[in-house]
Amino acid sequence: MSSLRFNAVEEAFKKKALEVTAPSKLTSDYFGKYVFNQATMAKYLSKQTMRDLKNVTDKGATLDLSIADDVAAGMRMWAIELGATHYTHWFQPLTDGTAEKHDSFIDYAGAPGEGIVEDFSGKLLAQQEPDASSFPSGGIRSTFEARGYTAWDPSSPAFVVDDTLVIPTIFISYTGESLDLKAPLLKALHAVDKAATAVCQMFDPNVKKVVSYLGWEQEYFLVDEGLYATRPDLLLTGRTLMGHESAKNQQLEDHYFGAVPSRVAAYMKDIEFEAYKYGIPAKTRHNEVAPNQFELAPIFGECNLSVDQNLLMMSIMKKVARRHGFRLLLHEKPFAGINGSGKHNNWSLGTDTGVGLFTPGKTPEENLLFVTILTSTLMAVYKHNALLKASIMTAQNAHRLGANEAPPAIVSAFLGSQLTAILDKLENSTSEEAIVVDAKKKLALGIAHIPEVFLDNTDRNRTSPFAFTGNRFEFRAVGSSANCSSAMATLNAAVAQQLIEFKAEVDAKIAAGSTKEKAIFDVIKSYIKASKAIRFDGNGYSEEWKAEAAKRGLDCETSVPKIIEAYTSKSSIELFKSTNVLTEVELHARNEVKWETYVKKIQIEARVLGDLAINHIIPVATRYQSLLLDNVYKTKAVFSVEKAGKISAMDLSLIEEISEHVSIIKKSVEDMVVARKVANVIEHEQAKANAYHDSVLPYFDVIRYHIDKLELIVDDEMWTLPKYRELLFIR
Ligand code: ADP
Ligand code: MG
């Protein structure tokens, strides 16, 4: 092992678990202490302001400046008491992660120079104009107006981090186009609320609101920061671009749910402590399948808030990792040959009357509503399967999907045997059989008595990208580093559109003389039939499924830049327009940004790979090769020709092997550079992304293959990069 590597590994192993900072208090004593939540607001705002604000967040009333002024005054006082000196509008531009610019509360008390006061007005709370010119907009700002605004999202509470009051906001252009991920999500949540409430009212007029829920499961890797620092690929791209598999990795399945190493346990406690302070209900922690891979999952919550909490959690996790001598890897595939990381999005809808719309009910009416929502969701996922895949697809996630560890790059829905049987029964029954009005005039659909055990359904299918799990769907294809907004906005919009259609179809049948029950039944039945292609309970990893899915007409595209195209298909444009989530202009602009991001990511990786190959790998390999050559010479000098030939046979074959690998690496890097140059002059973003995918990316595997072979040959002492076996086993 080289001394550089040795020192780094030594350091890593010497590190002890840090003391945990959590106080010996009950979690509930300090949960949400740094959040301007309902309980805190009640202390700092008047009753009238609370009511006004509730009208804004719950009923969509417009926020006038006097409400904002009152809220700002209360918020300011509370934040200052917690030690805040600054405030920031926190937003989600079309890049990875979040953006913020901090401003101090200070202002002149009167004329300039007349002393300083802490000030925070409703205007400052409600709207800001950050210098938006360097955030990607896909050309929207150059064709319209350069300015971009952040605007307060009162439905996600402000919080204090260190000395800063953080205000969740949307980010829009002067002309009103969304420049972020939050604005479309809020619109989609509004759309699904409206559409689902209208459908629910067909069953129960008391329903006034439907809430979309999200529970994310965040997977992550930890590596020691000393080792991380000596891997330029991890440092610059978030993943290892080379590295031979460790002899032992996850094959013994001894990591999953295993005992958490003490250093990691200390880290987990620390991030949970932080999470609780910010009102994030972290619930579950465990080892994941791959070595050094772990998971954190909170209790689910309202979708918009849950998305914000995930973004905050990812930044907390990154920050706290440094305190423990770790680096957090949220990349979807940091290491080849072992599992990558995802972020399952557990999603459901629930009414303000307390009914979970994906929870089979106890009464026939409840079950009819359940089947209505279920089949409409299947229809939505069926119609928009290509788009849903696009909503989770990135350069990083492409490495994970379909790699025998995560869902394939084909969206299908898993229902489990019991639900499948129920839908089959419904599909094959005539309405006369199915609709039985019993003595109490209750509707029975042959599904009136879904067995209770169904609620604890443990029927699981890890290979499905969209799986029903008893009271929710789990959208498993979402990547670990993703902002959940993208997947959630798309899913909620698609379901909203379908529910609008459902109600229109039922209403039309009623107008034509059908009873309500029969109309509902007929539409459900038609949905079961029409959406059948999306249902698949088998092994999503198998080759047969790929062939079968293609036959069924599901989208099987695997090229990221081509998958992204789904956003601007006719059906997607119509979907986002009809639900008022995104305009056609916004969709085109966003795709530009996605293609541009894709190109940049592959470009950076290609550069790092080329540099490492030429600067690290080839010099080390040729140095070792010359040692071997030296040995051959010396052997010849000492022994007879015949004997020397025998002794040197192994050295000679290694020398040849090394030069073969080296020359292929060298040639491939050169060819890759040429391919990049050709791609770089393409002006059209989409064509450029396609060129990067088709003609640059393929070199990665070739170069890596030969580098990994060299890693096995070259003297361990000379190899400069920490190996997988060193990176992957935290002690
Ligand atoms: P798994 O067995 O899938 O690993 P976990 O317990 O790790 O399950 O995570 C399940 C996630 O789903 C949690 O965040 C949980 O709060 C969430 N969840 C449970 N019920 C619902 C629901 N009805 N809607 C949305 N999310 C839910
Ligand atoms: Mg899960």
Side-chain angles (χ1 to χ4, degrees), residues 92-95 179-186 483 485-486 489 590:
Q92 304 166 22
L94 303 174
T95 54
L179 297 174
D180 71 346
L181 292 163
K182 189 192 248 288
L185 175 68
L186 289 173
N483 180 325
S485 293
S486 172
R590 274 156 197 263

Side-chain angles (χ1 to χ4, degrees), residues 217 344 346 460 462 472 474 476:
E217 301 165 52
H344 296 177
N346 293 269
R460 290 277 186 151
R462 295 240 151 235
R472 62 189 187 269
E474 233 182 284
R476 297 215 183 95

Side-chain angles (χ1 to χ4, degrees), residues 430-447:
T430 62
S431 50
E432 287 70 33
E433 283 166 20
I435 302 179
V436 182
V437 181
D438 74 9
K440 287 184 219 137
K441 295 241 179 299
K442 281 204 168 167
L443 176 78
L445 272 183
I447 51 163

Side-chain angles (χ1 to χ4, degrees), residues 213 215-217 284 295 297-300 346-348 460 471-472 474:
Y213 291 106
W216 41 265
E217 301 165 52
T284 306
E295 179 182 302
I299 306 171
F300 69 97
N346 293 269
W347 168 83
S348 70
R460 290 277 186 151
N471 62 352
R472 62 189 187 269
E474 233 182 284

Side-chain angles (χ1 to χ4, degrees), residues 94 138 390 561 563-569 585-597 685-686:
L94 303 174
I563 288 170
I564 291 168
E565 271 177 41
Y567 269 104
T568 50
S569 70
V585 170
E586 289 169 322
L587 287 168
H588 282 290
R590 274 156 197 263
N591 271 7
E592 292 288 304
V593 176
K594 283 176 202 281
W595 285 314
E596 204 183 311
T597 308
E685 261 335 308
Q686 181 180 8

